[in-house]
Amino acid sequence: LTPAARMDGATRWPHLFRPLALGPLELPNRIVMPGMDPSLADADGFVTDTMVRHYADRAAGGAGLLITGNIACDPVGRVSPWMPLLSDDRFVPGIARVAAAVHAAGSLLFVQVSHAGRQTLAEFTGGEVVSASDLPCPVMRSRPRPLADAETEQVADRFAAAARRAQQAGADGVEFHMAHGYLVCQFLSPYSNHRDDRWGRDAAGRGRFAVEIVRRARALVGPDFPLQCRLSADERVEGGITPPLAIDYARQLVGAGATSLSISACNYESYRYNMPSYYLPRATYAPLARAVRQALGGAVPVIAVGRIADGDCAEGVLAAGDADLVAMGRALIADPDLPRHLADGRPEAVRPCVACNRCAEAITRGPLRCLVNPEAGHLGDPAERPAEPLDVLVVGGGPAGVTAAIEAARRGHRVRLVEAGDQLGGKAWASGEPPEKEAFAAYARWLVGEAARAGIAVELNRALRPADLAAEPADRILVAVGAEPNPPPPIAGLDTHAVVLHPEEALADATPRSHVLIIGGGPEGCEVADAFAHRPERPRVSLVELRRKVGLGLATSVRALLEERLVAAGVALCTRRSVTAITPSGIALGGRPGRADETLPPADLVVIAVGVHPRTAWTEAGSDPRVQVIGDAARPATILEAVAHGWRAGRQV
């Protein structure tokens, strides 16, 4: 839309920006930041300054309701070493800081109370893992001790006590985490609850633990304090919770005093579907929310989750009657100001989530990280504005270069960006070429638009050489020219093959092919294989990789789905193999000792996807103190690392 034709958010997305009464609360819009643990607490479970700012920033961005990530009601229930606790009154002041910051920014806060059960490790819990039964989680593999009858009562009391502490801290409500395979879900699910006592046997027994948590919490917090339950309405494992069973549980919980429901899916075993990546549809679990909402007849508000990342998608879910509110978790990590941009009728300003799941991968190892938003999880104090603006030259308009230029311009510098090609965005455009990855192209468009909004002077189609820098008028020069492909391994006959391309060239090649050979099964090789396997002519595709697995380097959930896609499309995954010769009659593969050699049919396209290396002409350009080499030009990695490097460089100018 042009500025003259631009509609404000309430006009373009009327359902999304309609207020909602949630018990005694009045939400200004239907946008919810769902519970997603940013892993920002300290080792003792206390709130940190970074954690406070994480939530405050998203409240300031305009989300109607924020829900904290996992907060354990019991130290034995910690999911990770960075998970906050609310198991004792000592933790109340920290939660009060979060609540105060969120309220000061104009939003409302629910505290998500949780217990990991068997989905954790003994090293995180202090030595013990407990569950409904003694069945180990297939992913974490620690064998749990079943909670005894009296212990189950005690844990229900701990959930309720944590809810009371959240109320004392000034939170506006509580969400009990009963989904995703954590302890309450372990009791609810026939898949993980094999008990033969009053906490098992049938739906009433398996639901008793969840119902008792709500009843006991209601007795402590009074009739008006909102109590929300998050449910997996489909665990997506054999013998797990199904939608009809989830509806039964939803009725039980509402009857016990739950005031709203958040409807999700999965557990750790079905992790590849839990946080839908770009290989799964938008609004993935809205149909589950719709089923629960209809079954309850609108008795309580229902939240839909699962890759709802833009205004049109969110509006569609609400307009269709699938839910009363929409969870936009990763989208709010990517851009805390998403609601305000939409409310102002400026969707083009929203930094798009690409659904790569690098955020989910990061929090299993440490603080939150985001591919498109390098500030997520780093936060800290804002960079000081320079005493005097400088003339900054950025060479290279890929993600690292544009990010550095934007950050430097935001700090008040005069920034000029020189790009050898005809557009900014670099490999973000190429990343958007494979099937289902259009979100990366949206990110490239955002980079182009944000550079313009930041007032950066852009020069396209101008190639600078290292020797040219000496004559460039600039106080600081940031070189972000990217990497170059590694040479292919020594393969007999490769130098005489008719068509040999690198991944970006192959993705841009529209020539129909009959057999495509891809050497290298990392992320780029797999995505090229996926792209060719889904072309209209359906060529034969063979992917040869020395390692045991393909796609290493992608988030685990994304890699698992991509491998499923490749197998379903008929791609030959030749792992622990190498190409030894290419001849007109076929392709010879070698393997580990003791394994027979193989021969593949002749290929009319060979793609070399064996990684990249820095452009040494730039890294060895001299000792000019003005020059800093950043991104892949300094150390090849993924877009996440390149963007983070560019962001840090821009902040330090």
Side-chain angles (χ1 to χ4, degrees):
L1 295 175
T2 64
R6 179 174 286 138
M7 295 181 286
D8 66 21
T11 303
R12 183 168 178 180
W13 302 289
H15 294 82
L16 188 60
F17 287 98
R18 183 178 300 160
L20 174 72
L22 190 61
L25 307 175
E26 180 79 11
L27 275 61
N29 58 54
R30 307 300 180 96
I31 298 172
V32 177
M33 180 177 176
M36 181 175 172
D37 186 6
S39 292
L40 295 174
D42 68 17
D44 296 316
F46 288 96
V47 167
T48 62
D49 291 346
T50 303
M51 182 174 166
V52 173
R53 188 176 160 204
H54 170 78
Y55 291 111
D57 283 355
R58 281 141 188 90
L65 172 65
L66 274 65
I67 304 171
T68 69
N70 277 339
I71 296 182
C73 65
D74 186 330
V76 176
R78 293 186 89 179
V79 175
S80 77
W82 310 280
M83 181 179 176
L85 290 167
L86 199 47
S87 54
D88 187 274
D89 289 347
R90 295 177 298 132
F91 300 102
V92 171
I95 302 302
R97 289 179 59 209
V98 176
V102 168
H103 292 156
S107 190
L108 300 171
L109 180 75
F110 280 13
V111 169
Q112 185 186 78
V113 180
S114 180
H115 191 302
R118 68 179 189 168
Q119 288 186 171
T120 188
L121 298 173
E123 63 192 84
F124 301 159
T125 68
E128 187 174 42
V129 176
V130 300
S131 183
S133 300
D134 66 353
L135 306 170
C137 166
V139 175
M140 305 307 286
R141 300 182 181 179
S142 297
R143 182 167 291 280
R145 179 180 64 78
L147 288 167
D149 179 84
E151 290 177 308
T152 306
E153 299 261 11
Q154 291 167 1
V155 176
D157 285 337
R158 289 180 188 133
F159 270 94
R164 175 59 180 148
R165 293 187 185 104
Q167 185 183 43
Q168 292 170 337
D172 301 290
V174 159
E175 176 179 88
F176 293 122
H177 201 336
M178 300 178 171
H180 302 167
Y182 293 122
L183 181 64
V184 185
C185 186
Q186 290 160 32
F187 272 87
L188 291 171
S189 176
Y191 168 76
S192 48
N193 183 347
H194 293 188
R195 300 175 74 106
D196 195 30
D197 62 2
R198 66 192 181 111
W199 306 102
R201 283 196 294 262
D202 55 19
R206 289 190 295 268
R208 180 169 282 111
F209 181 51
V211 167
E212 283 301 311
I213 288 170
V214 175
R215 283 179 177 161
R216 295 174 191 212
R218 179 58 68 207
L220 289 180
V221 301
D224 297 326
F225 189 68
L227 298 177
Q228 179 167 289
C229 298
R230 191 174 203 186
L231 292 174
S232 280
D234 186 349
E235 279 191 283
R236 301 195 71 158
V237 294
E238 186 175 353
I241 297 170
T242 59
L245 183 55
I247 289 169
D248 185 356
Y249 290 146
R251 290 192 176 107
Q252 293 183 42
L253 293 168
V254 171
T259 49
S260 53
L261 301 170
S262 177
I263 303 302
S264 189
C266 302
N267 59 31
Y268 273 18
E269 188 173 358
S270 53
Y271 68 94
R272 59 196 181 280
Y273 305 112
N274 178 209
M275 191 173 291
S277 70
Y278 44 74
Y279 289 124
L280 293 173
R282 297 177 188 276
T284 314
Y285 297 124
L288 295 177
R290 182 184 184 88
V292 172
R293 186 171 185 263
Q294 289 183 336
L296 295 179
V300 297
V302 170
I303 302 174
V305 310
R307 205 183 166 203
I308 303 171
D310 61 81
D312 291 340
C313 180
E315 178 72 12
V317 169
L318 296 171
D322 294 341
D324 302 281
L325 302 107
V326 287
M328 304 181 79
R330 287 171 293 170
L332 286 165
I333 290 172
D335 191 344
D337 294 320
L338 178 152
R340 295 208 183 279
H341 290 321
L342 295 182
D344 292 341
R346 300 176 61 239
E348 73 282 355
V350 174
R351 179 171 14 203
C353 170
V354 296
C356 66
N357 282 356
R358 289 295 301 272
C359 54
E361 194 90 337
I363 62 174
T364 65
R365 298 179 175 90
L368 178 69
R369 296 290 182 266
C370 174
L371 184 149
V372 301
N373 181 7
E375 194 169 1
H378 290 278
L379 301 175
D381 295 327
E384 293 183 7
R385 292 185 69 84
E388 181 179 340
L390 302 176
D391 290 314
V392 179
L393 170 64
V394 179
V395 183
V402 178
T403 300
I406 291 169
E407 192 63 26
R410 285 175 177 167
R411 298 185 61 231
H413 295 302
R414 297 177 294 271
V415 182
R416 183 164 51 99
L417 195 160
V418 175
E419 163 59 36
D422 59 3
Q423 64 180 345
L424 302 180
K427 67 180 183 182
W429 290 109
S431 295
E433 287 291 329
E436 316 301 341
K437 293 189 66 184
E438 299 86 354
F440 282 84
Y443 173 53
R445 286 191 293 274
W446 180 85
L447 288 172
V448 174
E450 195 66 11
R453 289 186 285 272
I456 296 165
V458 177
E459 300 176 41
L460 299 175
N461 298 305
R462 185 182 174 208
L464 288 176
R465 299 167 301 174
D468 297 330
L469 297 185
E472 289 294 325
D475 299 307
R476 289 291 304 276
I477 301 174
L478 303 178
V479 175
V481 293
E484 56 189 353
N486 287 333
I491 299 171
L494 179 62
D495 56 346
T496 61
H497 192 275
V499 185
V500 179
L501 301 176
H502 293 293
E504 287 189 29
E505 299 168 326
L507 290 171
D509 177 49
T511 306
R513 304 293 180 184
S514 60
H515 181 200
V516 179
L517 170 68
I518 300 162
I519 300 173
E524 287 187 320
C526 287
E527 289 172 351
V528 171
D530 187 42
F532 276 96
H534 289 90
R535 285 193 174 183
E537 70 271 22
R538 297 286 179 171
R540 177 172 183 158
V541 179
S542 302
L543 181 67
V544 181
E545 166 57 43
L546 278 169
R547 294 172 292 185
R548 187 169 58 88
K549 293 183 178 180
V550 299
L552 295 174
L554 293 168
T556 306
S557 58
V558 177
R559 190 191 69 78
L561 287 174
L562 178 53
E563 186 170 0
E564 284 183 7
R565 285 173 59 87
L566 295 176
V567 171
V571 174
L573 300 179
C574 306
T575 56
R576 309 189 76 176
R577 288 284 193 271
S578 63
V579 177
T580 58
I582 297 176
T583 70
S585 60
I587 298 156
L589 302 183
R592 66 179 187 267
R595 193 166 181 176
D597 291 344
E598 296 178 46
T599 301
L600 298 175
D604 51 354
L605 171 61
V606 177
V607 181
I608 306 297
V610 293
V612 296
H613 63 274
R615 299 181 187 275
T616 54
W618 288 94
T619 57
E620 299 170 359
S623 58
D624 188 332
R626 301 176 303 159
V627 175
Q628 179 184 358
V629 181
I630 64 174
D632 282 358
R635 183 180 180 183
T638 68
I639 294 180
L640 184 150
E641 286 77 23
V643 167
H645 197 184
W647 176 73
R648 288 193 298 271
R651 282 170 64 92
Q652 292 165 1
V653 174

